[in-house]
Amino acid sequence: MDGTSSPGSPLPSIDKGRMTDTPSGKPKLTSGRLLAKNAIWNLIGQGVPLVAAIFAIPIFISQMGTARFGLLTLAWVIIGYFSLFDLGLGRALTKLVADRLGDRQEAAIPGVVWTALFLMLFLGIFGAVVVALLTPWMVYSALIIPTELQEETLIAFYLLAASIPVVIITAGLRGYLEAHQRFGFINAVRVPMGVYNFCAPLLVLPFNQSLHLVVAVLVAGRIASAVIHLLLCFRVTP
């Protein structure tokens, strides 16, 4: 056997470890070479923002002070965990889309995607309302926040609450790209946005150290990330 298909055979040639074409002409999504490349992309996507954080955090502490930086760290954590409000729909969407791609049922994918995204939007709005209602209690009672920082913290938390639907929708869009093995696209957004999260607020600090302005910059980045993910999804499936 020379690794090529015989004349008239419906199967394409197979080269172990490489991405091959299916009979429909579309790339196979389970090749070892593709998985290795995706792992490298993910490593880059996680590592570059970490390097940016190492350089940015000392500047934050020196310019914002320990108290504000502690609240900013809390804001970063909250933004990172807002995707939990999707109740696993993002992961479920990835699996459903991947299953339909594997079964060559591409025509069924748009209905699944839009249904999931609308459900995630509803959950995001619900989460935003819950966090907004809890914000005064968290600021004035639950968290030990200095009195002089309470008002700007209150505004910052309201901004974070408003961003919950955006963060959840972005998780769904990223799940769609993951189902298509487009980790290059995902990390092409993740790397600059990760750097943005640490470096963009530094541009605000020389003019104003208010926590809510820094959080507003972070929320603007999340909105931009959602729009870019949506455009990439339309590029994958026009």
Side-chain angles (χ1 to χ4, degrees), residues 159-181:
L159 289 172
L160 291 174
S163 72
I164 293 178
V166 177
V167 173
I168 292 180
I169 289 294
T170 303
L173 297 172
R174 184 168 55 249
Y176 180 78
L177 294 173
E178 289 173 348
H180 284 82
Q181 297 286 329

Side-chain angles (χ1 to χ4, degrees), residues 5-6 19 23 27 29 44 62 71 89 91 102 118 126 143 147 151 154 167 179 185 189 206 219 235:
S5 58
S6 61
M19 181 168 56
L29 301 179
I44 295 173
S62 64
L71 293 170
L89 281 177
R91 297 292 93 191
F118 278 118
F126 174 78
L143 301 176
T147 304
E151 290 303 317
L154 187 70
V167 173
F185 282 173
V189 180
V219 171
R235 182 173 177 180

